[in-house]
Amino acid sequence: MISSDYLDMPPLIGAGGTALLPGSKSISNRVLLLAALAEGKTLITGLLDSDDTRVMLAALHALGVIVSTQGTDTIVHGCGGRFPERRADLFMGNAGTAIRPLTAALALLGGSYTLSGVPRMHERPIGDLVDALRAINCSIDYLNQLGYPPLAINLGTPNVDTPIRVRGDVSSQFLTALLLALPLVSQQQDVVVEVIGTLISRPYVHITLELLCRFGVHVENENWQRFVIPAGSRYTSPGRMAVEGDASSASYFLAAGVLGSLHGAGDAVRVEGVDAHSIQGDVEFARVLERLGARVEWGDGFISASGLIPGRKRLTGGIIDCVAIPDAAMTLAITALFADAPTLLTGIGSWRVKETDRIAAMGAELAKLGAQVEAGEDWLRVHPLSDGQWRSAAIGTYDDHRMAMCFSLASFGPADIRILDPGCVSKTFPDYFQVFASVARPVPVIAIDGPTASGKGTVASKVAAMLGFHYLDSGALYRTTALLALRQDIKLDDEARLSELALRLPIRCDGSQVWVGPEDVSAAIRTEDVGRAASALASLPAVRQSLLALQHSLRRAPGLVADGRDMGTEVFPSARLKVFLTADVQARADRRYKQLISQGISTTIIDVLRDLEARDARDSKRSVAALRPAQDAVPLNTSALDVDQTVDQVLQWWRQCS
Ligand code: C5P
């Protein structure tokens, strides 16, 4: 569970590994009902554990169905087409996938039942289904408001001699409910269902028909307008039933397998629980990725994506018809940022009525990243971003799990991504961010901390140069803040003004050169006065907090070497290699003295020594981010080593851990 208000995503340089998907919600609740109605026992593997499945399980229990667990598997003892309990009051929470098919099944079987839910459930229409069932003489009454739950079901006299007609142009779920329930009354004669209007969301009806087949009922599908359940149909358990992984959620990991390769450090990302035989429409997402230039492999029980086909540098833009993959299509709006041309997503009108207006939400949040986006009633055009156009952003998620999950992919871009209200993923994938982190490869950081004049600056910048990594001299940020504070006469204990100054530091670092606006301050920040002032203001928590985002923003592909006091403990606690450099105080004083003299600054070795000791004491005794080695830092005493030896040692450790 994630309880915080936001989650900062580390910038990613690649991805690789295997993601186990949670079970599909659409399949889980259908399978539970089918297994309950079938003859025989069904062992279900991979069932989703979520609010909606818990509601269905509780209802089945109240209806007298025996359900047991064996490890992580669920065993449903089928009741052969008749629920043992003929009277029950069922609480359906807010589970549409439970109340609709149960209403149909109970109405056809007859008994004395009530079905109710949370207040929001009583606002969700069910009239089209009730009309269809009443038309064949089922006994259903509204207990409250016409057209909405709660409902009372009694013994009716269902007559299926003539076709049952149901609307299909508003929701496909009422048709699914009838298709799941009508085999209960098809022993003597064919049962025909006719759809009024053009059927929407066909991939979901496809799931229903496929699952009916697995439980022994083969429905004839006449062009999605007429369905015939043959006489003599009855549910029989297949024995074992594996719930597929959620194909919509597979899209994030497959996209990660592609985007992760863009920095040249990606491997295959494999999703387990779906494959080419999946009955979920959203597996088509993988085919779309292939058409856009991705290298996709289809196997038995898995799909994997590993970058682009040879010769390609980016995904292709263009027009993508998303009618068949409405949920996974959201992922394409993010991969479009990394394409070679604008991407037009069409057929996404249903986005407007999902958890939020997804077209509006997607447009607003993509714009925060700097993207140019155009939208219409049922389409969205996303223009790609070049490296310089990306902007760091806090992404709103609109209580929509899929917004949160697909924007995690933006962390493959060169910007800092904060996901607001990340806990909203619990709707379908409670541990999404943990699973994502297990395949994501953050931009590597080497943290080199140590006291003043331990040589960390020289060593860190050389290591960075050898590896082609970026270099962060965090001390320069404190020093620059101090320089500006001295110039602006800000007192060194005025935490509010200093932190304000640090937050808007107009600094630009280029190797060892530091600029404030147009001014090169590289020399000015190195004086002893500025060093002392830096050390003083560095003990103020608000100042340290203000400089955090700036330091994080320098973590960019292909990697970062950061030197300072708290790189390994506070700023980059997940750094892959942490080195704590020390040297005897005399050795450090000698080095600093020579450095100052070579810069034409006159001082004495005694003054330097005293100053070092005072600064060490202040840095290690302060209450925030005190100078101390991280628990997992490797100590390196450089008193007897020259710079090259020290650099060699760090590089050797780096090779061992990368
Ligand atoms: O490393 P340098 O001597 O340039 O840093 C100047 C001062 O900034 C240090 O004495 C220390 O007090 C502070 N500092 C810090 N945390 C860092 C880097 C420097 O507190 N990560």
Side-chain angles (χ1 to χ4, degrees):
M1 282 297 290
I2 303 161
S3 57
S4 62
D5 294 341
Y6 63 83
L7 178 70
D8 285 328
M9 305 290 299
L12 302 179
I13 198 175
T18 298
L20 261 179
L21 300 169
S24 148
K25 185 177 79 171
S26 311
I27 296 179
S28 291
N29 263 358
R30 283 171 173 83
V31 165
L32 279 176
L33 182 61
L34 291 172
L37 292 172
E39 270 163 35
K41 231 166 43 174
T42 308
L43 183 140
I44 306 171
T45 58
L47 191 74
L48 173 68
D49 180 15
S50 74
D51 291 351
D52 285 13
T53 50
R54 270 179 237 135
V55 160
M56 179 63 104
L57 282 165
L60 294 178
H61 178 70
L63 291 166
V65 179
I66 297 170
V67 180
S68 53
T69 52
Q70 185 180 300
T72 54
D73 298 338
T74 305
I75 299 167
V76 179
H77 299 254
C79 61
R82 286 266 168 267
F83 289 121
E85 290 294 339
R86 307 302 303 277
R87 322 173 62 87
D89 295 320
L90 304 176
F91 178 72
M92 312 301 311
N94 193 15
T97 53
I99 194 172
R100 292 165 189 142
L102 272 174
T103 297
L106 294 173
L108 287 169
L109 293 173
S112 178
Y113 303 107
T114 62
L115 296 99
S116 62
V118 297
R120 171 72 187 142
M121 176 64 103
H122 297 170
E123 295 166 7
R124 298 174 68 180
I126 197 162
D128 287 339
L129 178 62
V130 171
D131 288 350
L133 290 165
R134 277 179 168 174
I136 57 167
N137 282 338
C138 290
S139 170
I140 310 181
D141 293 303
Y142 296 111
L143 289 174
N144 211 333
Q145 198 191 341
L146 222 62
Y148 298 86
L151 303 173
I153 291 174
N154 288 300
L155 195 57
T157 50
N159 176 347
V160 288
D161 293 344
T162 51
I164 296 114
R165 293 166 59 76
V166 65
R167 282 185 67 176
D169 53 349
V170 181
S171 163
S172 68
Q173 296 192 12
F174 302 131
L175 172 61
T176 277
L178 290 172
L179 289 172
L180 287 168
L182 285 167
L184 296 173
V185 292
S186 65
Q187 279 75 23
Q188 311 298 333
Q189 64 192 106
D190 286 0
V191 178
V192 177
V193 188
E194 283 177 3
V195 176
I196 308 168
T198 306
L199 181 63
I200 63 162
S201 304
R202 289 178 193 181
Y204 289 99
V205 176
H206 175 70
I207 293 178
T208 307
L209 297 176
E210 285 293 320
L211 292 176
L212 287 175
C213 271
R214 307 244 177 122
F215 281 84
V217 172
H218 302 272
V219 177
E220 282 167 43
N221 171 1
E222 295 176 10
N223 206 22
W224 303 100
Q225 287 305 124
R226 195 164 183 274
F227 299 86
V228 181
I229 301 164
S233 293
R234 59 193 318 152
Y235 287 132
T236 47
S237 168
R240 281 180 76 91
M241 184 73 217
V243 174
E244 292 180 10
D246 188 272
S248 313
S249 299
S251 67
Y252 315 118
F253 298 97
L254 295 174
V258 178
L259 302 181
S261 73
L262 299 180
H263 298 292
D267 281 330
V269 177
R270 173 173 160 138
V271 284
E272 291 192 345
V274 287
D275 62 18
H277 307 294
S278 170
I279 59 174
Q280 299 168 78
D282 269 354
V283 284
E284 271 306 302
F285 172 85
R287 305 241 179 252
V288 175
L289 267 192
E290 273 180 316
R291 285 203 296 279
L292 299 178
R295 198 161 48 187
V296 175
E297 192 195 338
W298 300 77
D300 190 12
F302 75 89
I303 308 174
S304 76
S306 54
L308 298 168
I309 50 178
R312 299 294 295 274
K313 290 216 157 35
R314 305 201 99 189
L315 287 165
T316 323
I319 302 172
I320 306 173
D321 177 355
C322 301
V323 167
I325 51 165
D327 280 358
M330 292 174 75
T331 310
L332 295 171
I334 308 294
T335 58
L337 298 172
F338 302 86
D340 62 3
T343 301
L344 175 64
L345 305 178
T346 62
I348 54 169
S350 65
W351 282 21
R352 295 257 179 223
V353 292
K354 292 290 173 105
E355 278 79 347
T356 181
D357 177 343
R358 286 178 169 169
I359 294 186
M362 188 60 82
E365 302 311 304
L366 286 171
K368 284 186 190 167
L369 294 173
Q372 189 190 333
V373 187
E374 296 134 42
E377 199 37 45
D378 63 352
W379 58 268
L380 187 77
R381 183 183 286 112
V382 181
H383 294 251
L385 282 172
S386 61
D387 272 7
Q389 291 172 322
W390 279 85
R391 288 205 301 263
S392 297
I395 301 297
T397 47
Y398 306 74
D399 204 14
D400 182 348
H401 54 136
R402 301 224 173 272
M403 283 293 285
M405 294 193 272
C406 64
F407 269 92
S408 63
L409 295 167
S411 47
F412 284 102
D416 294 315
I417 306 299
R418 172 169 287 184
I419 304 286
L420 300 175
D421 185 23
C424 66
V425 297
S426 66
K427 181 162 184 180
T428 48
F429 201 159
D431 57 352
Y432 172 74
F433 286 105
Q434 287 92 312
V435 178
F436 187 74
S438 74
V439 301
R441 302 209 176 132
V443 171
V445 176
I446 301 177
I448 302 184
D449 288 306
T452 306
S454 54
K456 59 192 181 334
T458 318
V459 170
S461 63
K462 284 208 168 195
V463 169
M466 302 284 283
L467 295 173
F469 281 12
H470 300 280
Y471 167 55
L472 162 63
D473 168 9
S474 60
L477 309 186
Y478 289 92
R479 284 175 179 269
T480 304
T481 309
L483 176 71
L484 298 187
L486 293 174
R487 285 183 182 173
Q488 293 172 27
D489 276 337
I490 301 176
K491 291 220 173 65
L492 294 176
D493 58 357
D494 188 344
E495 190 162 358
R497 283 189 71 195
L498 289 169
S499 65
E500 185 60 24
L501 177 68
L503 197 60
R504 301 185 204 297
L505 209 59
I507 191 174
R508 189 164 54 83
C509 303
D510 185 3
S512 59
Q513 296 222 286
V514 182
W515 302 77
V516 169
E519 183 190 354
D520 181 350
V521 295
S522 318
I525 61 169
R526 296 289 157 204
T527 67
E528 291 299 274
D529 282 352
V530 170
R532 265 190 298 276
S535 170
L537 58 78
S539 65
L540 303 173
V543 173
R544 304 198 73 84
Q545 184 62 33
S546 291
L547 289 175
L548 213 50
L550 179 57
Q551 294 174 84
H552 286 158
S553 73
L554 296 165
R555 181 179 188 175
R556 292 280 165 259
L560 177 72
V561 183
D563 91 56
R565 306 293 190 285
D566 59 345
M567 298 297 99
T569 51
E570 305 286 336
V571 182
F572 300 111
S574 64
R576 206 184 292 170
L577 173 63
K578 299 175 186 174
V579 180
F580 195 77
L581 279 193
T582 51
D584 306 341
V585 70
Q586 191 61 50
R588 291 192 282 129
D590 283 348
R591 285 181 197 161
R592 173 52 59 98
Y593 176 73
K594 284 188 194 131
Q595 195 183 22
L596 292 174
I597 296 298
S598 74
Q599 289 167 359
I601 300 170
S602 90
T603 182
T604 67
I605 187 88
I606 297 295
D607 281 350
V608 171
L609 194 63
R610 250 192 239 128
D611 189 55
L612 275 185
E613 282 170 340
R615 223 176 312 162
D616 283 356
R618 192 162 43 216
D619 285 350
S620 41
K621 286 198 188 106
R622 68 185 174 212
S623 58
V624 282
L627 172 67
R628 62 179 169 82
Q631 264 183 352
D632 48 349
V634 273
L636 181 57
N637 189 319
T638 65
S639 308
L641 300 178
D642 66 20
V643 171
D644 288 342
Q645 288 168 317
T646 312
V647 168
D648 282 350
Q649 177 60 74
V650 174
L651 288 173
Q652 194 186 325
W653 284 332
W654 174 245
R655 281 191 290 275
Q656 283 165 6
C657 70
S658 55

PDB file of all heavy atoms in Angstrom, residues 267-291:
ATOM      1  N   ASP A 267      17.044  -4.066 -21.175  1.00  0.00           N
ATOM      2  CA  ASP A 267      16.915  -5.472 -21.517  1.00  0.00           C
ATOM      3  C   ASP A 267      15.446  -5.735 -21.788  1.00  0.00           C
ATOM      4  O   ASP A 267      14.634  -4.828 -21.725  1.00  0.00           O
ATOM      5  CB  ASP A 267      17.373  -6.337 -20.334  1.00  0.00           C
ATOM      6  CG  ASP A 267      18.884  -6.423 -20.281  1.00  0.00           C
ATOM      7  OD1 ASP A 267      19.500  -6.341 -21.355  1.00  0.00           O
ATOM      8  OD2 ASP A 267      19.418  -6.553 -19.172  1.00  0.00           O
ATOM      9  N   ALA A 268      15.142  -7.014 -22.002  1.00  0.00           N
ATOM     10  CA  ALA A 268      13.743  -7.354 -22.217  1.00  0.00           C
ATOM     11  C   ALA A 268      12.953  -7.210 -20.925  1.00  0.00           C
ATOM     12  O   ALA A 268      13.459  -7.507 -19.847  1.00  0.00           O
ATOM     13  CB  ALA A 268      13.653  -8.785 -22.724  1.00  0.00           C
ATOM     14  N   VAL A 269      11.735  -6.727 -21.056  1.00  0.00           N
ATOM     15  CA  VAL A 269      10.809  -6.774 -19.921  1.00  0.00           C
ATOM     16  C   VAL A 269       9.718  -7.762 -20.317  1.00  0.00           C
ATOM     17  O   VAL A 269       9.118  -7.653 -21.385  1.00  0.00           O
ATOM     18  CB  VAL A 269      10.190  -5.404 -19.599  1.00  0.00           C
ATOM     19  CG1 VAL A 269       9.180  -5.549 -18.464  1.00  0.00           C
ATOM     20  CG2 VAL A 269      11.275  -4.418 -19.202  1.00  0.00           C
ATOM     21  N   ARG A 270       9.508  -8.713 -19.424  1.00  0.00           N
ATOM     22  CA  ARG A 270       8.588  -9.796 -19.745  1.00  0.00           C
ATOM     23  C   ARG A 270       7.406  -9.720 -18.789  1.00  0.00           C
ATOM     24  O   ARG A 270       7.590  -9.517 -17.588  1.00  0.00           O
ATOM     25  CB  ARG A 270       9.396 -11.080 -19.555  1.00  0.00           C
ATOM     26  CG  ARG A 270       8.667 -12.364 -19.650  1.00  0.00           C
ATOM     27  CD  ARG A 270       9.761 -13.432 -19.595  1.00  0.00           C
ATOM     28  NE  ARG A 270       9.196 -14.697 -19.215  1.00  0.00           N
ATOM     29  CZ  ARG A 270       9.535 -15.837 -19.793  1.00  0.00           C
ATOM     30  NH1 ARG A 270      10.449 -15.865 -20.753  1.00  0.00           N
ATOM     31  NH2 ARG A 270       9.000 -16.961 -19.407  1.00  0.00           N
ATOM     32  N   VAL A 271       6.204  -9.851 -19.343  1.00  0.00           N
ATOM     33  CA  VAL A 271       5.025  -9.901 -18.475  1.00  0.00           C
ATOM     34  C   VAL A 271       4.503 -11.320 -18.489  1.00  0.00           C
ATOM     35  O   VAL A 271       4.341 -11.931 -19.551  1.00  0.00           O
ATOM     36  CB  VAL A 271       3.907  -8.924 -18.911  1.00  0.00           C
ATOM     37  CG1 VAL A 271       4.260  -7.508 -18.540  1.00  0.00           C
ATOM     38  CG2 VAL A 271       3.607  -9.023 -20.389  1.00  0.00           C
ATOM     39  N   GLU A 272       4.274 -11.857 -17.320  1.00  0.00           N
ATOM     40  CA  GLU A 272       3.775 -13.226 -17.221  1.00  0.00           C
ATOM     41  C   GLU A 272       2.314 -13.198 -16.822  1.00  0.00           C
ATOM     42  O   GLU A 272       1.909 -12.401 -15.987  1.00  0.00           O
ATOM     43  CB  GLU A 272       4.613 -14.017 -16.218  1.00  0.00           C
ATOM     44  CG  GLU A 272       6.000 -14.236 -16.770  1.00  0.00           C
ATOM     45  CD  GLU A 272       6.823 -15.245 -16.006  1.00  0.00           C
ATOM     46  OE1 GLU A 272       6.439 -15.596 -14.878  1.00  0.00           O
ATOM     47  OE2 GLU A 272       7.855 -15.669 -16.562  1.00  0.00           O
ATOM     48  N   GLY A 273       1.537 -14.084 -17.446  1.00  0.00           N
ATOM     49  CA  GLY A 273       0.107 -14.159 -17.124  1.00  0.00           C
ATOM     50  C   GLY A 273      -0.765 -13.800 -18.319  1.00  0.00           C
ATOM     51  O   GLY A 273      -1.981 -13.898 -18.248  1.00  0.00           O
ATOM     52  N   VAL A 274      -0.152 -13.369 -19.405  1.00  0.00           N
ATOM     53  CA  VAL A 274      -0.891 -13.124 -20.656  1.00  0.00           C
ATOM     54  C   VAL A 274      -0.039 -13.645 -21.814  1.00  0.00           C
ATOM     55  O   VAL A 274       1.185 -13.703 -21.704  1.00  0.00           O
ATOM     56  CB  VAL A 274      -1.172 -11.612 -20.910  1.00  0.00           C
ATOM     57  CG1 VAL A 274      -2.239 -11.086 -19.990  1.00  0.00           C
ATOM     58  CG2 VAL A 274       0.096 -10.786 -20.782  1.00  0.00           C
ATOM     59  N   ASP A 275      -0.708 -14.016 -22.898  1.00  0.00           N
ATOM     60  CA  ASP A 275       0.048 -14.404 -24.099  1.00  0.00           C
ATOM     61  C   ASP A 275      -0.850 -14.264 -25.332  1.00  0.00           C
ATOM     62  O   ASP A 275      -1.931 -13.681 -25.240  1.00  0.00           O
ATOM     63  CB  ASP A 275       0.638 -15.819 -23.959  1.00  0.00           C
ATOM     64  CG  ASP A 275      -0.423 -16.897 -23.802  1.00  0.00           C
ATOM     65  OD1 ASP A 275      -1.597 -16.630 -24.142  1.00  0.00           O
ATOM     66  OD2 ASP A 275      -0.079 -17.994 -23.337  1.00  0.00           O
ATOM     67  N   ALA A 276      -0.392 -14.795 -26.456  1.00  0.00           N
ATOM     68  CA  ALA A 276      -1.131 -14.610 -27.708  1.00  0.00           C
ATOM     69  C   ALA A 276      -2.526 -15.222 -27.634  1.00  0.00           C
ATOM     70  O   ALA A 276      -3.414 -14.838 -28.391  1.00  0.00           O
ATOM     71  CB  ALA A 276      -0.344 -15.233 -28.855  1.00  0.00           C
ATOM     72  N   HIS A 277      -2.721 -16.191 -26.730  1.00  0.00           N
ATOM     73  CA  HIS A 277      -4.040 -16.838 -26.640  1.00  0.00           C
ATOM     74  C   HIS A 277      -4.951 -16.130 -25.653  1.00  0.00           C
ATOM     75  O   HIS A 277      -6.032 -16.625 -25.347  1.00  0.00           O
ATOM     76  CB  HIS A 277      -3.870 -18.303 -26.225  1.00  0.00           C
ATOM     77  CG  HIS A 277      -2.913 -19.033 -27.110  1.00  0.00           C
ATOM     78  ND1 HIS A 277      -3.194 -19.264 -28.437  1.00  0.00           N
ATOM     79  CD2 HIS A 277      -1.678 -19.537 -26.889  1.00  0.00           C
ATOM     80  CE1 HIS A 277      -2.162 -19.887 -28.994  1.00  0.00           C
ATOM     81  NE2 HIS A 277      -1.223 -20.062 -28.076  1.00  0.00           N
ATOM     82  N   SER A 278      -4.507 -15.011 -25.134  1.00  0.00           N
ATOM     83  CA  SER A 278      -5.310 -14.301 -24.138  1.00  0.00           C
ATOM     84  C   SER A 278      -6.681 -13.960 -24.714  1.00  0.00           C
ATOM     85  O   SER A 278      -6.820 -13.659 -25.894  1.00  0.00           O
ATOM     86  CB  SER A 278      -4.607 -12.999 -23.739  1.00  0.00           C
ATOM     87  OG  SER A 278      -5.497 -12.227 -22.966  1.00  0.00           O
ATOM     88  N   ILE A 279      -7.681 -14.007 -23.837  1.00  0.00           N
ATOM     89  CA  ILE A 279      -9.030 -13.660 -24.296  1.00  0.00           C
ATOM     90  C   ILE A 279      -9.332 -12.187 -24.055  1.00  0.00           C
ATOM     91  O   ILE A 279     -10.424 -11.732 -24.321  1.00  0.00           O
ATOM     92  CB  ILE A 279     -10.085 -14.549 -23.597  1.00  0.00           C
ATOM     93  CG1 ILE A 279     -10.016 -14.396 -22.072  1.00  0.00           C
ATOM     94  CG2 ILE A 279      -9.901 -15.999 -24.009  1.00  0.00           C
ATOM     95  CD1 ILE A 279     -11.114 -15.142 -21.343  1.00  0.00           C
ATOM     96  N   GLN A 280      -8.354 -11.438 -23.557  1.00  0.00           N
ATOM     97  CA  GLN A 280      -8.590 -10.012 -23.299  1.00  0.00           C
ATOM     98  C   GLN A 280      -8.154  -9.161 -24.493  1.00  0.00           C
ATOM     99  O   GLN A 280      -7.045  -9.312 -25.006  1.00  0.00           O
ATOM    100  CB  GLN A 280      -7.795  -9.554 -22.073  1.00  0.00           C
ATOM    101  CG  GLN A 280      -8.168 -10.274 -20.797  1.00  0.00           C
ATOM    102  CD  GLN A 280      -7.151  -9.969 -19.712  1.00  0.00           C
ATOM    103  OE1 GLN A 280      -7.186  -8.904 -19.120  1.00  0.00           O
ATOM    104  NE2 GLN A 280      -6.250 -10.904 -19.464  1.00  0.00           N
ATOM    105  N   GLY A 281      -9.029  -8.263 -24.884  1.00  0.00           N
ATOM    106  CA  GLY A 281      -8.748  -7.430 -26.051  1.00  0.00           C
ATOM    107  C   GLY A 281      -7.465  -6.628 -25.914  1.00  0.00           C
ATOM    108  O   GLY A 281      -6.772  -6.370 -26.907  1.00  0.00           O
ATOM    109  N   ASP A 282      -7.106  -6.235 -24.685  1.00  0.00           N
ATOM    110  CA  ASP A 282      -5.966  -5.332 -24.512  1.00  0.00           C
ATOM    111  C   ASP A 282      -4.607  -5.970 -24.831  1.00  0.00           C
ATOM    112  O   ASP A 282      -3.610  -5.241 -24.905  1.00  0.00           O
ATOM    113  CB  ASP A 282      -5.956  -4.721 -23.101  1.00  0.00           C
ATOM    114  CG  ASP A 282      -6.724  -3.398 -23.061  1.00  0.00           C
ATOM    115  OD1 ASP A 282      -7.148  -2.941 -24.140  1.00  0.00           O
ATOM    116  OD2 ASP A 282      -6.895  -2.835 -21.975  1.00  0.00           O
ATOM    117  N   VAL A 283      -4.561  -7.304 -25.048  1.00  0.00           N
ATOM    118  CA  VAL A 283      -3.254  -7.844 -25.481  1.00  0.00           C
ATOM    119  C   VAL A 283      -2.875  -7.302 -26.849  1.00  0.00           C
ATOM    120  O   VAL A 283      -1.709  -7.310 -27.229  1.00  0.00           O
ATOM    121  CB  VAL A 283      -3.167  -9.391 -25.545  1.00  0.00           C
ATOM    122  CG1 VAL A 283      -3.049 -10.009 -24.196  1.00  0.00           C
ATOM    123  CG2 VAL A 283      -4.270  -9.974 -26.357  1.00  0.00           C
ATOM    124  N   GLU A 284      -3.891  -6.813 -27.590  1.00  0.00           N
ATOM    125  CA  GLU A 284      -3.609  -6.206 -28.900  1.00  0.00           C
ATOM    126  C   GLU A 284      -2.615  -5.056 -28.779  1.00  0.00           C
ATOM    127  O   GLU A 284      -1.961  -4.670 -29.747  1.00  0.00           O
ATOM    128  CB  GLU A 284      -4.908  -5.684 -29.522  1.00  0.00           C
ATOM    129  CG  GLU A 284      -5.641  -6.695 -30.362  1.00  0.00           C
ATOM    130  CD  GLU A 284      -4.768  -7.295 -31.445  1.00  0.00           C
ATOM    131  OE1 GLU A 284      -4.244  -6.531 -32.276  1.00  0.00           O
ATOM    132  OE2 GLU A 284      -4.591  -8.530 -31.449  1.00  0.00           O
ATOM    133  N   PHE A 285      -2.509  -4.483 -27.600  1.00  0.00           N
ATOM    134  CA  PHE A 285      -1.549  -3.402 -27.369  1.00  0.00           C
ATOM    135  C   PHE A 285      -0.152  -3.835 -27.813  1.00  0.00           C
ATOM    136  O   PHE A 285       0.600  -3.062 -28.406  1.00  0.00           O
ATOM    137  CB  PHE A 285      -1.528  -3.018 -25.885  1.00  0.00           C
ATOM    138  CG  PHE A 285      -0.437  -2.055 -25.528  1.00  0.00           C
ATOM    139  CD1 PHE A 285      -0.619  -0.690 -25.673  1.00  0.00           C
ATOM    140  CD2 PHE A 285       0.789  -2.514 -25.055  1.00  0.00           C
ATOM    141  CE1 PHE A 285       0.402   0.201 -25.363  1.00  0.00           C
ATOM    142  CE2 PHE A 285       1.810  -1.637 -24.746  1.00  0.00           C
ATOM    143  CZ  PHE A 285       1.620  -0.272 -24.898  1.00  0.00           C
ATOM    144  N   ALA A 286       0.191  -5.085 -27.534  1.00  0.00           N
ATOM    145  CA  ALA A 286       1.533  -5.570 -27.894  1.00  0.00           C
ATOM    146  C   ALA A 286       1.705  -5.581 -29.412  1.00  0.00           C
ATOM    147  O   ALA A 286       2.792  -5.327 -29.926  1.00  0.00           O
ATOM    148  CB  ALA A 286       1.770  -6.949 -27.289  1.00  0.00           C
ATOM    149  N   ARG A 287       0.613  -5.898 -30.127  1.00  0.00           N
ATOM    150  CA  ARG A 287       0.702  -5.877 -31.605  1.00  0.00           C
ATOM    151  C   ARG A 287       0.870  -4.436 -32.090  1.00  0.00           C
ATOM    152  O   ARG A 287       1.596  -4.165 -33.038  1.00  0.00           O
ATOM    153  CB  ARG A 287      -0.566  -6.458 -32.225  1.00  0.00           C
ATOM    154  CG  ARG A 287      -0.907  -7.838 -31.740  1.00  0.00           C
ATOM    155  CD  ARG A 287      -0.922  -8.850 -32.877  1.00  0.00           C
ATOM    156  NE  ARG A 287      -1.233 -10.161 -32.342  1.00  0.00           N
ATOM    157  CZ  ARG A 287      -0.357 -11.149 -32.226  1.00  0.00           C
ATOM    158  NH1 ARG A 287       0.889 -11.000 -32.645  1.00  0.00           N
ATOM    159  NH2 ARG A 287      -0.701 -12.306 -31.716  1.00  0.00           N
ATOM    160  N   VAL A 288       0.184  -3.512 -31.427  1.00  0.00           N
ATOM    161  CA  VAL A 288       0.326  -2.097 -31.813  1.00  0.00           C
ATOM    162  C   VAL A 288       1.777  -1.672 -31.599  1.00  0.00           C
ATOM    163  O   VAL A 288       2.387  -1.038 -32.461  1.00  0.00           O
ATOM    164  CB  VAL A 288      -0.640  -1.198 -30.998  1.00  0.00           C
ATOM    165  CG1 VAL A 288      -0.392   0.273 -31.306  1.00  0.00           C
ATOM    166  CG2 VAL A 288      -2.083  -1.561 -31.295  1.00  0.00           C
ATOM    167  N   LEU A 289       2.344  -2.050 -30.455  1.00  0.00           N
ATOM    168  CA  LEU A 289       3.750  -1.704 -30.190  1.00  0.00           C
ATOM    169  C   LEU A 289       4.645  -2.248 -31.303  1.00  0.00           C
ATOM    170  O   LEU A 289       5.556  -1.563 -31.766  1.00  0.00           O
ATOM    171  CB  LEU A 289       4.212  -2.315 -28.867  1.00  0.00           C
ATOM    172  CG  LEU A 289       4.124  -1.511 -27.584  1.00  0.00           C
ATOM    173  CD1 LEU A 289       4.907  -2.215 -26.490  1.00  0.00           C
ATOM    174  CD2 LEU A 289       4.634  -0.082 -27.747  1.00  0.00           C
ATOM    175  N   GLU A 290       4.374  -3.476 -31.723  1.00  0.00           N
ATOM    176  CA  GLU A 290       5.169  -4.075 -32.812  1.00  0.00           C
ATOM    177  C   GLU A 290       5.065  -3.219 -34.071  1.00  0.00           C
ATOM    178  O   GLU A 290       6.066  -2.934 -34.720  1.00  0.00           O
ATOM    179  CB  GLU A 290       4.649  -5.483 -33.131  1.00  0.00           C
ATOM    180  CG  GLU A 290       5.264  -6.558 -32.283  1.00  0.00           C
ATOM    181  CD  GLU A 290       4.732  -7.950 -32.618  1.00  0.00           C
ATOM    182  OE1 GLU A 290       3.501  -8.104 -32.786  1.00  0.00           O
ATOM    183  OE2 GLU A 290       5.550  -8.882 -32.693  1.00  0.00           O
ATOM    184  N   ARG A 291       3.849  -2.787 -34.378  1.00  0.00           N
ATOM    185  CA  ARG A 291       3.674  -1.959 -35.583  1.00  0.00           C
ATOM    186  C   ARG A 291       4.416  -0.634 -35.459  1.00  0.00           C
ATOM    187  O   ARG A 291       4.845  -0.047 -36.440  1.00  0.00           O
ATOM    188  CB  ARG A 291       2.177  -1.695 -35.838  1.00  0.00           C
ATOM    189  CG  ARG A 291       1.432  -2.890 -36.398  1.00  0.00           C
ATOM    190  CD  ARG A 291       0.173  -2.461 -37.138  1.00  0.00           C
ATOM    191  NE  ARG A 291      -0.804  -1.838 -36.272  1.00  0.00           N
ATOM    192  CZ  ARG A 291      -1.648  -2.515 -35.496  1.00  0.00           C
ATOM    193  NH1 ARG A 291      -1.626  -3.832 -35.480  1.00  0.00           N
ATOM    194  NH2 ARG A 291      -2.515  -1.881 -34.734  1.00  0.00           N
TER     195      ARG A 291
END
